[in-house]
Amino acid sequence: MKKIYVIHTGGTIGMEKTQDETIELQNEHPLFKQNHLNAHIIHHQLFHLPSPHMTPKKMLKLRNHIAEKAADFDGFVITHGTDTLEETAYFLKLTLPIKKPVILTGAMRPINEVGSDALYNFNSALLVALSDRPNLSDIFVVMDGEIHDPSYVTKVHTTRIGAFQSPNSGPIALLTKQGISLLHQPLLERKYFISNVDQEVILLKAYTGMCPNVLTSLLDLKINGLVLEAFGQGNIPSTIAIELEKFLQRNIPILLVSRCPQGIVEANYNYIGGGKYLQKQGVLFSNGLNGPKARLKLSILLSNHIPYQQLQSHFISS
Ligand code: ASP
């Protein structure tokens, strides 16, 4: 019988609706006694947190815990709050070299609410963790009957059960009554060494009329990197573009992602603040990652002391 290690971290999937209609974490995890499959399931509660309280340090602790247990189990399921699930999944994808399924899941509605997705998602995640598909022996997100690649999956709705999508690629597979139906291969990402998460990388979203002081005030914070969520194909206001020079002179890498949920940033426009202009300044371009994930990746690259000139090559799709 296969052995699956379930690590609970908190989130709605570990909560129940109370009599006064609030949703709260319970002392005993509501999934502890759930096993509808022919598998040996060990539960472990590593954290008991709403996922807005998740941090890269805790992601590292989770990563190290899975690495320690890797040899003893056939697969892993991680239950997690949906708000930041995509960040933890992507952190694990970048830093956990493992040839076994590590499946993250959560719930939009607690287990005792009408129409809850908690048991369905948990059961689906276990099914994927138990599968023998070699292309699923890595980190994946399972929500609402779909398997998503952590590189692209994102929470797109505040309350809907089908709150997770991969806007650039769609899910990599569907869970059907017959089994798993693979739609396409996940993006191959290099695995990186990680021993600490002490790099201060800031994420800023561009908006019209953005005040350049927002940017310059960051120089006092001694940041290690900056991710800018730019307009469209990778363009920003001219007033901001001019200020970026001060960061680049201090060797602080600046990485562009787009505010658009689909597509990638490219160096096409040559006006002040246009992508071509920014590329000539030395700004880096990401490959379809969203802001929070690009921020995590840049901080992991910086903690590996990858020199500025080589950073761009880590954001080219394989
Ligand atoms: N706020 C909750 C969390 O992320 C939402 C959820 O789990 O769905 O912990």
Side-chain angles (χ1 to χ4, degrees):
M1 193 184 280
K2 282 196 170 183
K3 277 170 77 185
I4 303 293
Y5 193 59
V6 179
I7 306 176
H8 299 287
T9 68
T12 300
I13 197 162
M15 298 186 189
E16 282 182 25
K17 196 168 182 170
T18 60
Q19 274 176 346
D20 59 0
E21 297 290 308
T22 59
I23 300 168
E24 282 168 25
L25 282 162
Q26 302 304 305
N27 290 338
E28 171 152 338
H29 199 289
L31 293 177
F32 267 12
K33 296 189 187 83
Q34 302 292 340
N35 181 6
H36 306 274
L37 300 168
N38 185 22
H40 183 201
I41 295 174
I42 309 286
H43 291 263
H44 177 71
Q45 191 158 297
L46 185 64
F47 305 122
H48 202 39
L49 297 169
S51 76
H53 297 189
M54 186 52 89
T55 61
K57 278 201 169 65
K58 293 193 172 78
M59 292 175 199
L60 180 58
K61 190 168 173 186
L62 172 62
R63 180 240 169 255
N64 291 341
H65 189 68
I66 301 169
E68 273 166 31
K69 301 278 177 189
D72 306 337
F73 292 89
D74 299 294
F76 293 79
V77 169
I78 318 297
T79 67
H80 198 290
T82 59
D83 289 347
T84 64
L85 187 148
E86 66 196 70
E87 288 189 52
T88 301
Y90 189 57
F91 182 93
L92 295 177
K93 177 167 175 174
L94 289 181
T95 62
L96 185 63
I98 193 164
K99 296 257 170 350
K100 294 179 179 180
V102 176
I103 311 302
L104 287 95
T105 194
M108 295 299 291
R109 295 183 194 153
I111 198 159
N112 62 341
E113 187 175 318
V114 175
S116 171
D117 51 341
L119 263 186
Y120 175 58
N121 286 343
F122 181 58
N123 220 43
S124 303
L126 285 171
L127 281 171
V128 180
L130 285 164
S131 83
D132 288 317
R133 308 280 286 255
N135 34 22
L136 294 177
S137 291
D138 200 350
I139 324 300
F140 291 99
V141 171
V142 169
M143 291 293 289
D144 196 30
E146 295 180 339
I147 306 177
H148 290 269
D149 181 346
S151 302
Y152 291 134
V153 71
T154 192
K155 186 174 177 178
V156 297
H157 199 279
T158 54
T159 54
R160 209 167 64 192
I161 292 284
F164 281 72
Q165 286 178 11
S166 298
N168 255 340
S169 63
I172 67 144
L174 303 176
L175 279 149
T176 69
K177 297 214 176 358
Q178 313 295 328
I180 295 169
S181 176
L182 194 72
L183 301 174
H184 60 86
Q185 296 294 338
L187 179 78
L188 280 178
E189 292 248 23
R190 222 184 99 172
K191 303 279 180 183
Y192 296 95
F193 174 78
I194 186 106
S195 63
N196 59 55
V197 281
D198 54 6
Q199 296 294 307
E200 194 59 74
V201 177
I202 301 288
L203 170 62
L204 272 189
K205 189 174 195 140
Y207 50 91
T208 53
M210 192 174 182
C211 171
N213 295 346
V214 173
L215 218 66
T216 33
S217 61
L218 291 179
L219 288 170
D220 297 333
L221 293 179
K222 306 247 176 313
I223 62 169
N224 303 102
L226 175 64
V227 177
L228 266 180
E229 227 177 279
F231 306 122
Q233 291 177 29
N235 313 306
I236 58 171
S238 57
T239 45
I240 300 296
I242 289 159
E243 293 303 319
L244 293 186
E245 206 52 56
K246 295 177 183 155
F247 290 80
L248 297 166
Q249 276 161 6
R250 287 171 170 79
N251 241 349
I252 300 172
I254 300 169
L255 176 67
L256 278 194
V257 299
S258 179
R259 293 197 334 182
C260 299
Q262 283 181 293
I264 56 169
V265 282
E266 287 180 317
N268 288 333
Y269 292 94
N270 209 10
Y271 56 80
I272 301 176
K276 190 84 198 164
Y277 171 96
L278 297 173
Q279 190 183 50
K280 283 191 272 180
Q281 271 187 312
V283 171
L284 309 165
F285 287 65
S286 75
N287 53 340
L289 295 173
N290 68 17
K293 288 182 208 174
R295 196 202 80 80
L296 277 175
K297 184 163 183 178
L298 183 57
S299 54
I300 290 166
L301 295 175
L302 293 175
S303 67
N304 275 284
H305 308 290
I306 307 238
Y308 199 119
Q309 305 81 326
Q310 287 172 24
L311 287 173
Q312 182 60 72
S313 65
H314 292 261
F315 289 96
I316 311 276
S317 305
S318 49

